[in-house]
């Protein structure tokens, strides 16, 4: 969890939010966080959501690499949803 307020986080760039959220997710080894993000930026099809992400073999580093490949850190129309997901994650307590 971060001590930053909603206003402080909202003032950050999307890239800064991504860096902070990814760092926290890596620390928590939270693959589910990344899976939830993919739902915001990819269409639901068999090629992007083939189930590998939920497997026990998927690591956070695997997911980060896939995130870079899929998004290239551009989010298009999904940016407001992605920003909200980053902020929500940064403000959430560890599970």
């Amino acid at each position: 969890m971060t001590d930053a307020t909603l206003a402080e986080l909202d003032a950050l760039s999307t890239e800064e939010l991504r860096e902070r959220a990814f760092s926290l997710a890596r620390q928590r080894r939270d693959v589910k966080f990344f899976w939830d993000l993919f739902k915001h930026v990819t269409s639901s099809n068999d090629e992007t959501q083939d189930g590998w992400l939920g497997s026990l073999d998927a690591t956070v580093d695997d997911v980060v690499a896939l995130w870079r490949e899929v998004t290239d850190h551009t989010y298009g129309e999904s940016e407001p949803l992605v920003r909200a997901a980053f902020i929500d994650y940064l403000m959430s307590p560890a599970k």
Side-chain angles (χ1 to χ4, degrees), residues 3 15 24 26 49 65-66:
D3 291 329
E15 186 61 17
L24 183 58
R26 279 185 163 148
Q49 296 182 7
L66 183 60

Side-chain angles (χ1 to χ4, degrees), residues 1-2 4-6 9 24 28 86-93:
M1 178 167 50
T2 182
T5 66
L6 175 61
L9 290 172
L24 183 58
R28 293 178 178 174
F86 291 153
I87 291 170
D88 183 57
Y89 190 71
L90 289 167
M91 295 188 75
S92 69

Side-chain angles (χ1 to χ4, degrees), residues 10-54:
D10 195 40
L12 298 174
S13 70
T14 301
E15 186 61 17
E16 178 65 22
L17 289 171
R18 183 201 61 77
E19 288 175 10
R20 289 181 182 203
F22 278 29
S23 176
L24 183 58
R26 279 185 163 148
Q27 182 181 29
R28 293 178 178 174
R29 297 180 181 181
D30 190 353
V31 174
K32 184 181 181 310
F33 165 74
F34 293 101
W35 179 243
D36 290 341
L37 282 176
F38 276 105
K39 292 178 186 176
H40 293 300
V41 297
T42 61
S43 61
S44 295
N45 65 46
D46 292 337
E47 290 179 27
T48 50
Q49 296 182 7
D50 64 3
W52 78 267
L53 200 55

